[in-house]
Amino acid sequence: MVSELNFTFPLPAGLHARPASHLAEMISSLASEVSFSNLRNGRQADGRSPLAMVTTDTRAGDQCCFRLVGKGAKEGRERLENFLRGKFLAQESAFENASASPASLASPASPDSSAGKAGQLSRSLRATGVERFVRGSVACGGIGEGRIVWLKKNTPRLAPPPSGNGAASDSATETKCLDRALDAVEQRYRGELAAATGAAVAILKAHVSLLRDNVLKASMLELLGTGATAAAAVEHAIASFKRKLLASENACLRERTLDLDDIADQLVAEISGRAPAEGSEGLEARERREGRVELGEPAILLAERLTPRQFLSLDHQRLAGLALGDVGQTSHTVILARSFNVPTLIDVPLAGLRGFDGRGVLDAQTGILVFDEAPETSAKLSGYYSAEKRKLARIAARQADCIGKPARTADGFTMEIGANIVSAGEAAPAFRQGADGIGLFRTELLFADREQAPDEEEQYLAYAQIVREARGRPVIIRTLDIGGDKPAPYLPLPRENNPFLGCRGVRLYRGHAGLIETQFRALWRAAAHGPLKVMLPMVSCVEEARDFKALLERAGDRLRGEGAAIDASLSFGLMLEVPSVAFMLAELCAIADFFSVGTNDLTQYFLAADRENKTVESLHSPLHPSFLRLLKKLVDEVHAYGRWIGLCGRMAEEIPELPLLVGMGFDEISIPAAKIPAMKSAVAKLRRSDCETLLQSALASHTRAEAESIVTAGAGRAGGAAARGPLLEAALVDLEVEAATKHEAIRAIVNTLEIAGRTSEPVEVEEALWRREESYSTGFGSGFALPHCKSNHVSDNSIVALRLKQPVEWGSLDGRPVDFIICLIIRESDHGREHMRNMACLARLMTNETFQSRMRAVANADALVTLIATHLDTSANNRKSQPGTTIP
Amino acid sequence: MKIIAVTACPTGIAHTYMAAEKLEQAARALGCQIKVETQGAMGIENELTASDIAAASGVIFAVDIEVERRERFDGKKIVHVPVKDAIKAPQAVIAKLK
């Protein structure tokens, strides 16, 4: 019985380890034998062996054929066809899309924001005359300076076996040794898999799948049969597979050889007895024990390939930066580099640096490795990079400032700002950026992209990792929230006409009690490590809240009965996203400890407008007065019953709408970690009393447009309901600027903006300022310059004032060098009339000699701001402004 | 004698107003009256009226771009200079009008 299935390979990255293991797992469930052939290159493989399929070098668009032989071949063909066109395609495409844009771990104005961007050299960098550099892709931002050093592998792979005489003992002993090693390494990988997150999970899964690959094992056994030692068998079998992969033109396949290297390292270490007993030490300790790469001084390490374990064995004190060749953005190595915050570039053409002996700069802001040592250039580069590092340090300090300090309004009201995360690995970066807690951990990603649900142990490890990272700060974990629109393969869901109004969120739990019980158990156990709060999604009635709370408690009782050391109670809360709950708050507050409003879904259900349907886009807006009144009601009542209420939807991310949320009195808002520092600054600019006034007006409005204009007007007006930055403040003044050239001075303007958090695209702003200079110089005489531009790359209209320690050539109208700069920047869209009037006024003032000498004479930043403020006040005496430290 | 002028620079944020200010300072120093219409990012301000124009013998255009509603000045003597000249040497620009 033979059946054939022809198929065009659909995935852009080809048939690499991840989809191959997925495919092999499915084929293993079939009764018949399945062989795979690539009709373009003629290569064949056993369908049950992921490794064999990978080595067929199958690319997107290749014509392929599956040949099923034996019992059930016809049925198997049908199942295989459905799988290929359905689940396989959907999941693999989703995975590849997710890998293509890895979750951002960075803040807008921080080193990591350059990840993935093409390297555009700023004008000031080009002005240094730098010529010798290579480009790479940014994997982790920052600047590192040091000696350029090539990685030397220090751990010999072929270590003598325990018997010590270098010869194989009999084949049976060697086979047993190999089996033990395979088991031990598999156990270790599974342990790491449980603690890993995001992209790392899929990669480690592929590792496990490779380890169990029957073709690899057969090849190793064959070598053992010829009298090789276990270690040699591993080495040669893997080398042979690697050769086939490396010959591929597919970069994704070549990247996977890093994984094969790691497997070989691990197996050989295990065989030679250098591996510790399972579970007796952590990964980092083990790697360090296996030998560090000694770096005598700060160094930039170059390596074509670097495995995750090699990275961990490096001396991180002296590792200034990494320049890697063929290492993928989604490789485990890069994930580690980011969590250790090591400036890293990948895809760097390193061949040109062979034999180079000297110092360099790894500029992972721009995306280049500089090794230019020409004397004229060196000094200028040194100046440029010193300024860069000072700037980055100040930005990091500003972010660190947020840590441990809640957002506080000008009149003393605090609001927690939490982070929304989708994987355990995001917890550490979130807290580094000042998160006061995890406001929402969406557990769906743990359950996605896999054949079976994660077991209790795997979930427990992920939840525990987050709670430990939180060090006492609250962590809200939302239980599984999926539905007919985004199914998981192991959860067969009925087809629904209306998945958003169907079986989703808690409605699914009754039908999958085992799955939820497992999640509950893992949560109880993780709660032993710190304040963990469990939150249920999509609750629409009291019955659901009661029933599932009871289930949660029973899971806890069972664990206690088994002798587990868990707490007496677990904080239990609900998402508020179905409008019905607004009228059952008395009852729900008796059942739940806390609530979080999911504005995305709540808006959708409340205004009956599909959030993905563009034709009803204007209805899906939280600024409809009805929705604002709903929110106010929720907050008021929840507080009346003494409970906590937060907000975790897109509405929380909009700075203009922040005054409404502050006015309502939400205890917390939870947003992507990257936005936290800016949000805390925005809260600090507000006065709660003014926000309440603004809110009252918005609540009394009749239409969305009215509410919107009230909010916008509030933002533009002087006073405490404006979360936008003022035109000029002390943070935008620097009276001690070191700049030797006009390029450095203009760079200093842009740096000031970046440090103040007003731009995340400084290179663009620098360009805009230079374009204006190209018309004619903005140096208008007497040592003053007025550079200016229109740009949407700044978040607020801004005036930057710099006094240079030394005057610089500016090409001024009177030929004199410049030492005092006032820079005006207006946004192209939403530039306020008031701001432009102030700027025009200031431009006029600058031509006045008395004003000029007063500016030169100021003692500090505050004095300059006051000087300008009072003069603008006098000039436009229809405005009321307090002499103080800002100009509104 | 009343002088009239129009200033307009491309970005319209700074130099339009600086030029206006410098021309006003220079006119004061020369003992003349001056009215300067600015055409900047906020639009036309201090607009020159038909009677302002009729009363003047000529007009200074200190501009780097096209003057808006230029037809108002048809038939008038025009001194056309770049904005930076008005900033650098406003008295010389005014002198050109005489």
Side-chain angles (χ1 to χ4, degrees):
Chain A
M1 181 64 173
V2 175
S3 214
E4 282 191 356
L5 170 63
N6 285 303
F7 180 62
T8 307
F9 195 76
L11 302 179
L15 184 56
H16 57 93
R18 168 80 185 89
S21 61
H22 196 188
L23 197 46
E25 268 186 70
M26 188 273 170
I27 289 175
S28 303
S29 72
L30 300 175
S32 48
E33 278 175 40
V34 182
S35 65
F36 171 87
S37 25
N38 182 316
L39 301 174
R40 172 184 58 86
N41 61 23
R43 301 207 197 153
Q44 291 194 324
D46 177 351
R48 282 174 169 76
S49 164
L51 213 42
M53 285 202 285
V54 165
T55 59
T56 61
D57 196 15
T58 297
R59 306 175 203 165
D62 281 356
Q63 290 304 310
C64 311
C65 177
F66 285 98
R67 197 158 187 271
L68 296 90
V69 178
K71 210 171 149 186
K74 190 149 164 234
E75 189 205 325
R77 184 199 178 283
E78 230 178 86
R79 280 182 58 196
L80 184 55
E81 187 169 22
N82 288 335
F83 173 75
L84 286 170
R85 299 197 195 291
K87 268 187 233 168
F88 178 71
L89 189 59
Q91 291 201 330
E92 288 302 323
S93 304
F95 179 72
E96 285 187 15
N97 286 336
S99 306
S101 44
S104 168
L105 300 176
S107 149
S110 86
D112 295 298
S113 62
S114 32
K117 280 200 215 142
Q120 183 191 349
L121 270 70
S122 66
R123 291 245 190 170
S124 38
L125 182 52
R126 277 184 270 147
T128 61
V130 65
E131 281 180 356
R132 296 181 75 201
F133 62 91
V134 286
R135 290 176 189 274
S137 300
V138 176
C140 179
I143 308 271
E145 286 177 285
R147 184 129 178 279
I148 290 185
V149 167
W150 278 89
L151 175 73
K152 282 188 281 282
K153 280 190 68 176
N154 66 324
T155 314
R157 272 254 282 275
L158 285 175
S163 58
N165 62 3
S169 25
D170 66 284
S171 149
T173 315
E174 290 300 317
T175 307
K176 256 214 276 268
C177 183
L178 179 63
D179 279 332
R180 258 203 315 269
L182 283 166
D183 280 338
V185 174
E186 187 179 330
Q187 286 283 55
R188 195 173 313 139
Y189 274 131
R190 285 192 183 285
E192 283 164 28
L193 189 61
T197 56
V201 169
I203 291 161
L204 282 172
K205 266 203 72 179
H207 277 218
V208 172
S209 162
L210 289 173
L211 259 184
R212 292 191 307 192
D213 190 284
N214 51 354
V215 173
L216 177 65
K217 179 133 185 226
S219 147
M220 292 193 286
L221 288 176
E222 202 187 304
L223 286 160
L224 286 180
T226 66
T229 62
V234 166
E235 190 66 62
H236 293 298
I238 292 213
S240 131
F241 275 107
K242 270 182 64 180
R243 266 195 298 278
K244 292 193 189 126
L245 291 182
L246 285 171
S248 167
E249 281 171 29
N250 184 328
C252 227
L253 289 180
R254 291 201 302 273
E255 192 181 304
R256 296 305 170 226
T257 60
L258 278 177
D259 305 307
L260 284 175
D261 277 338
D262 262 354
I263 290 170
D265 283 343
Q266 290 296 288
L267 285 173
V268 172
E270 192 65 44
I271 290 166
S272 62
R274 283 188 286 121
E278 198 221 309
S280 68
E281 68 184 306
L283 177 67
E284 272 125 273
R286 180 164 56 236
E287 295 311 317
R288 281 187 202 111
R289 190 177 50 74
E290 282 174 16
R292 293 163 85 93
V293 172
E294 282 310 316
L295 301 168
E297 55 185 297
I300 296 169
L301 190 68
L302 269 48
E304 277 296 342
R305 301 150 57 67
L306 191 73
T307 72
R309 285 177 173 76
Q310 284 174 323
F311 174 85
L312 289 171
S313 73
L314 297 170
D315 178 357
H316 292 110
Q317 294 290 73
R318 297 199 178 95
L319 184 63
L322 274 178
L324 306 176
D326 211 359
V327 173
Q329 275 285 4
T330 59
S331 67
H332 203 184
T333 306
V334 163
I335 289 169
L336 288 172
R338 285 200 193 115
S339 72
F340 278 76
N341 233 348
V342 176
T344 303
L345 293 179
I346 58 174
D347 297 327
V348 184
L350 297 170
L353 281 142
R354 284 273 170 207
F356 177 81
D357 184 24
R359 297 182 58 80
V361 180
L362 190 100
D363 181 353
Q365 293 301 104
T366 310
I368 59 175
L369 170 62
V370 180
F371 52 99
D372 197 321
E373 296 193 314
E376 323 84 66
T377 320
S378 266
K380 291 185 194 155
L381 276 176
S382 178
Y384 176 84
Y385 282 114
S386 304
E388 268 297 278
K389 290 202 290 197
R390 272 197 306 272
K391 177 194 78 177
L392 291 176
R394 286 178 68 180
I395 290 173
R398 189 175 150 262
Q399 286 184 323
D401 247 358
C402 286
I403 299 175
K405 290 194 196 123
R408 179 177 271 114
T409 64
D411 50 353
F413 286 87
T414 58
M415 183 162 75
E416 288 173 49
I417 315 271
N420 294 340
I421 62 173
V422 298
S423 69
E426 288 172 67
F431 291 118
R432 270 206 297 265
Q433 285 170 78
D436 300 320
I438 299 296
L440 173 64
F441 172 41
R442 297 181 164 100
T443 56
E444 290 76 73
L445 208 69
L446 271 178
F447 289 79
D449 284 343
R450 47 197 302 163
E451 284 297 316
Q452 291 135 339
D455 60 20
E456 185 184 313
E457 196 60 25
E458 183 182 339
Q459 289 188 54
Y460 159 69
L461 286 171
Y463 305 148
Q465 188 178 335
I466 299 172
V467 174
R468 270 196 234 106
E469 203 59 68
R471 281 172 249 250
R473 286 168 286 210
V475 175
I476 297 176
I477 299 184
R478 187 179 67 186
T479 53
L480 191 57
D481 185 15
I482 57 173
D485 55 317
K486 31 174 176 152
Y490 44 85
L491 277 188
L493 298 174
R495 248 189 63 73
E496 294 173 315
N497 283 335
N498 238 319
F500 280 102
L501 297 178
C503 205
R504 63 192 297 108
V506 288
R507 300 166 185 193
L508 265 171
Y509 293 4
R510 206 172 295 288
H512 298 92
L515 197 67
I516 299 311
E517 165 92 8
T518 305
Q519 188 168 42
F520 282 168
R521 287 174 59 98
L523 289 165
W524 270 109
R525 291 173 56 203
H529 299 282
L532 186 158
K533 304 173 184 219
V534 178
M535 183 164 69
L536 292 189
M538 197 72 190
V539 165
S540 46
C541 58
V542 170
E543 298 91 299
E544 285 166 348
R546 254 186 216 143
D547 289 350
F548 291 105
K549 183 173 185 184
L551 223 68
L552 179 67
E553 278 167 358
R554 276 207 292 280
D557 291 336
R558 263 195 283 278
L559 277 167
R560 256 175 246 114
E562 292 161 20
I566 57 174
D567 293 339
S569 68
L570 190 52
S571 184
F572 173 78
L574 309 172
M575 285 282 293
L576 293 178
E577 48 194 343
V578 180
S580 53
V581 296
F583 296 89
M584 303 302 290
L585 290 171
E587 293 87 340
L588 291 173
C589 285
I591 301 169
D593 305 312
F594 68 92
F595 302 87
S596 186
V597 179
T599 53
N600 307 346
D601 272 333
L602 185 59
T603 320
Q604 178 171 250
Y605 294 128
F606 186 70
L607 285 151
D610 184 341
R611 69 194 195 198
E612 273 149 43
N613 188 336
K614 289 256 183 282
T615 54
V616 291
E617 207 171 25
S618 61
L619 281 171
H620 189 263
S621 162
L623 288 177
H624 278 281
S626 53
F627 189 78
L628 295 177
R629 295 177 193 183
L630 171 65
L631 289 182
K632 177 94 171 55
K633 175 183 159 58
L634 290 172
V635 178
D636 286 348
E637 282 187 46
V638 167
H639 280 165
Y641 292 112
R643 297 284 185 252
W644 183 101
I645 182 166
L647 191 151
C648 59
R650 290 297 294 275
M651 189 187 181
E653 297 175 37
E654 299 298 319
I655 287 188
E657 286 160 30
L658 181 63
L660 295 171
L661 303 180
V662 171
M664 286 178 199
F666 273 95
D667 295 300
E668 171 250 45
I669 58 175
S670 193
I671 58 179
K675 302 187 173 187
I676 292 177
M679 195 60 71
K680 286 194 175 181
S681 302
V683 172
K685 291 177 189 129
L686 298 173
R687 270 197 293 276
R688 168 92 178 259
S689 49
D690 290 330
C691 293
E692 281 167 348
T693 312
L694 184 82
L695 175 65
Q696 288 310 316
S697 310
L699 291 171
S701 66
H702 302 284
T703 66
R704 187 195 109 153
E706 265 181 63
E708 215 171 314
S709 66
I710 288 168
V711 166
T712 315
R717 210 171 39 227
R724 280 247 188 258
L727 200 53
L728 175 61
E729 55 181 343
L732 295 174
V733 178
D734 190 346
L735 300 174
E736 308 276 315
V737 176
E738 288 194 23
T741 63
K742 185 172 177 179
H743 277 99
E744 286 182 23
I746 291 188
R747 180 77 177 180
I749 295 172
V750 166
N751 285 351
T752 306
L753 281 168
E754 204 184 336
I755 292 166
R758 294 192 178 211
T759 184
S760 52
E761 287 131 349
V763 177
E764 305 289 349
V765 182
E766 202 179 328
E767 267 307 301
L769 286 170
W770 273 104
R771 273 196 297 270
R772 170 56 192 80
E773 291 299 319
E774 274 154 15
S775 307
Y776 55 90
S777 172
T778 59
F780 61 88
S782 316
F784 283 84
L786 201 56
H788 56 277
C789 68
K790 279 190 187 148
S791 173
N792 270 349
H793 295 285
V794 289
S795 60
D796 307 275
N797 299 328
S798 309
I799 298 176
V800 179
L802 303 185
R803 185 168 61 195
L804 307 182
K805 283 185 174 166
Q806 302 295 334
V808 299
E809 269 312 307
W810 203 272
S812 302
L813 297 181
D814 66 354
R816 281 178 54 180
V818 163
D819 70 327
F820 211 109
I821 299 163
I822 298 278
C823 176
L824 311 174
I825 308 189
I826 281 266
R827 282 173 57 80
E828 280 171 72
S829 48
D830 65 75
H831 42 256
R833 225 185 149 69
E834 186 100 347
H835 285 167
M836 290 203 305
R837 195 169 295 292
N838 279 331
M839 286 186 181
C841 209
L842 184 56
R844 285 179 182 264
L845 278 168
M846 297 274 292
T847 62
N848 180 298
E849 276 177 24
T850 317
F851 187 73
Q852 286 178 1
S853 49
R854 288 214 180 111
M855 275 211 288
R856 278 235 164 72
V858 291
N860 53 48
D862 284 321
L864 181 63
V865 177
T866 307
L867 173 71
I868 295 178
T870 41
H871 271 81
L872 290 179
D873 191 31
T874 316
S875 307
N877 49 15
N878 60 334
R879 249 184 27 253
K880 194 168 53 104
S881 105
Q882 302 123 304
T885 51
T886 65
I887 293 177
Chain B
M1 180 205 160
K2 191 158 178 189
I3 302 169
I4 57 171
V6 177
T7 61
C9 83
T11 339
I13 307 171
H15 288 63
T16 304
Y17 307 98
M18 285 170 62
E21 188 76 15
K22 290 292 261 190
L23 285 170
E24 285 163 13
Q25 287 169 6
R28 265 199 301 275
L30 291 169
C32 311
Q33 281 190 305
I34 188 169
K35 180 171 178 181
V36 185
E37 172 180 306
T38 54
Q39 297 188 347
M42 290 186 285
I44 295 179
E45 293 194 309
N46 207 25
E47 189 170 337
L48 291 167
T49 63
S51 57
D52 288 329
I53 297 169
S57 55
V59 57
I60 295 171
F61 281 176
V63 301
D64 295 328
I65 52 175
E66 288 290 317
V67 169
E68 269 187 70
R69 295 185 36 227
R70 198 190 188 293
E71 58 282 3
R72 292 177 286 163
F73 307 96
D74 283 347
K76 284 294 191 207
K77 176 184 175 191
I78 295 173
V79 168
H80 201 137
V81 296
V83 173
K84 68 176 192 231
D85 284 4
I87 294 173
K88 186 173 172 179
Q91 289 201 9
V93 170
I94 291 174
K96 282 192 185 163
L97 199 55
K98 303 227 164 81

